[in-house]
Amino acid sequence: MSRAVKPQRKALNTVLAWGMGLLIFFPILWTVLTSFKTEAEAIADPPIWFNFSWTLENYFTVQERSNYFRHFWNSVVISVGSTLIGLIIAVPAAWAMAFVPGKRTKDVLMWMLSTKMLPPVGVLVPLYLIFRDLGLLDTRIGLVFVLTMINLPIIIWMLYTYFREIPVDILEAARMDGAGLRDEVVHVLLPMAVPGMASTVLLNIILAWNEAFWTLNLTAAKAAPLTAFIASYSSPEGLFYAKLSAASTMAIAPILIMGWFSQKQLVRGLTFGAVK
């Protein structure tokens, strides 16, 4: 029998939730507002909240100075490409760990996750030299490869968790009906894990979209994504906050829109298997 929640407690929880949400969203709100200000209004002290001269000049200036759509397309190719390749590798790996477990399965999972604890700068020099010798510097293929390797442990961990929630009896029944390994994975396992796979795809696209360290160090102009597009507005002459905010808003807008429309699927996937 569920315990009744007092109205006061419910109201308090609602206020706290809204307060936490607004606190997290405030930097994005401030960035968007600043993008519509002039440079003088952007650095005004005390800050100007809404009573300022709204202008689109910063957006026009940013588009004239940089080819936004080229950077946008690079981000799409890199984030989606690295996620899809990661899935191709991670699905059989997670299947093997979930349904053919060995004594060292947990050790292997922990070892893969431990690679995320390594500071990226620790392998920057050797990776840079490898890319230089192979001709992969400032290429989409090179960035897709790097981001695939970076996010692969997370993809495998998430898929392994979702696959473990699927009853083994269903897969055994498919085998008894004559399903081969390919049919078992493609026609039985994957359709049942769609919510978990959807959240995995969305999360890793976001991670790849926001990756800055490798995109700034391994690209120059041709394959530069939106993270490099934002960084280009930090110059030795100083920070132009209004233009930088406009560039940031243009960079985060696509991923914010995608997250807004897919939030239900993302939450459903992240809670997949949590309620029996």
Side-chain angles (χ1 to χ4, degrees):
M1 184 175 181
S2 61
R3 183 174 58 182
V5 180
K6 296 181 179 180
Q8 297 85 347
R9 180 66 178 274
K10 186 176 181 179
L12 178 62
N13 291 340
T14 302
V15 171
L16 290 175
W18 273 99
M20 185 62 67
L22 291 174
L23 182 64
I24 296 173
F25 183 71
F26 176 76
I28 298 176
L29 174 62
W30 185 252
T31 299
V32 174
L33 290 176
T34 304
S35 69
F36 292 102
K37 301 177 182 178
T38 63
E39 290 295 344
E41 291 170 335
I43 61 174
D45 187 18
I48 303 174
W49 289 90
F50 298 100
N51 188 22
F52 57 85
S53 303
W54 293 72
T55 178
L56 294 175
E57 179 184 357
N58 297 314
Y59 289 93
F60 292 127
T61 302
V62 166
Q63 180 57 27
E64 290 174 1
R65 173 178 167 180
S66 307
N67 189 342
Y68 167 79
F69 293 102
R70 177 171 59 83
H71 294 287
F72 169 78
W73 180 244
N74 287 339
S75 287
V76 171
V77 172
I78 293 167
S79 58
V80 175
S82 61
T83 300
L84 292 179
I85 295 176
L87 279 178
I88 294 174
I89 300 173
V91 167
W95 175 87
M97 294 180 183
F99 300 109
V100 192
K103 295 181 180 179
R104 298 292 183 180
T105 297
K106 292 184 177 180
D107 295 336
V108 173
L109 286 170
M110 184 56 65
W111 172 77
M112 287 191 300
L113 190 62
S114 68
T115 60
K116 296 292 294 180
M117 305 174 190
L118 175 70
V121 71
V123 293
L124 173 60
V125 173
L127 195 59
Y128 182 90
L129 296 176
I130 293 173
F131 270 49
R132 183 197 63 184
D133 295 341
L134 295 178
L136 294 177
L137 283 177
D138 199 19
T139 63
R140 294 174 184 167
I141 296 177
L143 285 180
V144 167
F145 172 78
V146 169
L147 296 185
T148 298
M149 295 299 102
I150 289 174
N151 294 328
L152 188 59
I154 296 179
I155 301 177
I156 294 177
W157 259 90
M158 293 184 69
L159 291 182
Y160 168 79
T161 302
Y162 299 136
F163 289 174
R164 289 286 292 174
E165 300 296 333
I166 297 176
V168 181
D169 297 341
I170 297 178
L171 300 182
E172 292 178 349
R175 294 170 195 161
M176 293 180 64
D177 289 340
L181 179 59
R182 177 181 174 277
D183 293 330
E184 176 186 334
V185 174
V186 175
H187 299 296
V188 181
L189 179 65
L190 296 185
M192 296 183 65
V194 165
M197 292 189 63
S199 65
T200 302
V201 169
L202 291 172
L203 181 60
N204 282 273
I205 286 178
I206 293 172
L207 291 175
W209 189 279
N210 294 329
E211 175 60 40
F213 180 83
W214 293 110
T215 57
L216 292 177
N217 285 286
L218 297 180
T219 61
K222 295 181 181 178
L226 288 172
T227 47
F229 167 73
I230 297 173
S232 66
Y233 286 88
S234 176
S235 62
E237 291 80 11
L239 289 175
F240 298 93
Y241 288 104
K243 295 177 180 60
L244 179 61
S245 297
S248 299
T249 301
M250 295 171 70
I252 65 177
I255 207 71
L256 278 178
I257 295 172
M258 186 192 75
W260 178 267
F261 284 104
S262 60
Q263 58 180 323
K264 290 184 179 180
Q265 188 65 42
L266 182 60
V267 172
R268 181 187 175 196
L270 292 175
T271 57
F272 179 66
V275 180
K276 298 293 185 180

